[in-house]
């Protein structure tokens, strides 16, 4: 069977290698994915679960915001909340890569799709080959639904992260460091004095050089 021919097994049609690599299986995978996502949307327990995790790490308290010069209500556990939710997102995102195209996974969706497509281009017109082709397609179908399931979890987790932090989750390698803002010593002194704290005299910036090293340099 050549690549220009189409083999039909029930509702399944394989027309080319690209069809399988793009996941166009189960008569129309785009329809299948849409129906699957609609099912997920009806069942909101996944979203509720991740929201419950985010809400578990909330302790509202007043903290000073130096941008506006006043105290505002903040989540005192926002850093650990962000860290936990980020780790969940990272794990699910890593699992998506492992399922879809992981170099560590010899049964990834890409490899299984390629194997099915390659067999489709060389299979004979006999019952044994049709059964083998059907088994290969079944593996791709199962792996595709597995991908959709994990993606639904990742979407719910990343949405919970965004709702909690106000930022979209991004893998560590794609994150941009937030620009640091200079701290005004006069503002710090005023805030400290208002709380009865003696700020003292700030030490000179040695750019990471130990004081003993500076003293030794001065003495030489």
């Amino acid at each position: 069977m050549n690549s220009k021919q189409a083999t039909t097994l029930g509702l399944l049609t394989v027309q080319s290698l690209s069809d399988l690599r793009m996941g166009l299986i189960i008569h129309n995978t785009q329809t299948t994915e849409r129906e699957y996502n609609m099912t997920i949307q009806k069942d909101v327990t996944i979203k509720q679960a991740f929201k419950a995790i985010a809400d578990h790490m909330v302790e509202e308290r007043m903290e000073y915001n130096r941008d506006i010069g006043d105290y505002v209500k903040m989540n005192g556990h926002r850093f650990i909340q962000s860290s936990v939710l980020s780790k969940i997102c990272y794990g699910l995102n890593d699992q998506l890569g492992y399922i879809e195209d992981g170099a560590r996974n010899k049964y990834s969706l890409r490899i299984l799709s390629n194997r099915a497509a390659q067999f489709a281009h060389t299979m004979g017109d006999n019952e044994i080959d049709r059964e083998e082709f059907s088994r290969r397609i079944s593996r791709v179908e199962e792996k595709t639904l597995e991908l959709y399931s994990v993606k639904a979890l990742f979407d719910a987790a990343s949405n919970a992260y965004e709702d909690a932090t106000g930022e979209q989750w991004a893998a560590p390698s794609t994150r941009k460091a937030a620009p640091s803002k200079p701290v005004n010593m006069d503002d710090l002194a005023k805030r400290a004095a208002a709380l009865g704290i003696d700020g003292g005299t700030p030490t000179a910036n040695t750019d990471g050089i130990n004081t003993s090293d500076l003293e030794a340099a001065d003495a030489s």
Side-chain angles (χ1 to χ4, degrees), residues 148-172:
Y148 294 159
S149 178
V150 176
K151 187 177 186 303
L153 289 173
F154 171 75
D155 289 343
S158 58
N159 287 337
Y161 178 90
E162 184 173 357
D163 290 342
T165 67
E167 299 177 354
Q168 287 187 337
W169 183 83

Side-chain angles (χ1 to χ4, degrees), residues 30-99:
Q30 292 178 335
T31 300
T32 302
E33 182 175 7
R34 183 166 61 250
E35 292 172 352
Y36 186 86
N37 287 337
M38 287 173 64
T39 302
I40 292 296
Q41 290 170 6
K42 291 178 182 177
D43 183 4
V44 296
T45 56
I46 295 176
K47 297 178 182 178
Q48 289 175 338
F50 285 111
K51 185 178 186 303
I53 293 173
D55 291 345
H56 178 71
M57 294 171 286
V58 173
E59 182 193 3
E60 292 186 346
R61 62 189 182 202
M62 302 302 292
E63 293 186 12
Y64 188 83
N65 186 319
R66 61 190 179 92
D67 291 332
I68 63 176
D70 198 1
Y71 285 86
V72 295
K73 185 181 293 185
M74 301 286 289
N75 175 18
H77 293 165
R78 61 188 179 277
F79 297 112
I80 186 63
Q81 180 194 58
S82 173
S83 177
V84 170
L85 291 174
S86 181
K87 284 180 171 63
I88 294 174
C89 291
Y90 180 86
L92 290 170
N93 187 61
D94 182 66
Q95 187 64 26
L96 282 175
Y98 182 78
I99 293 172

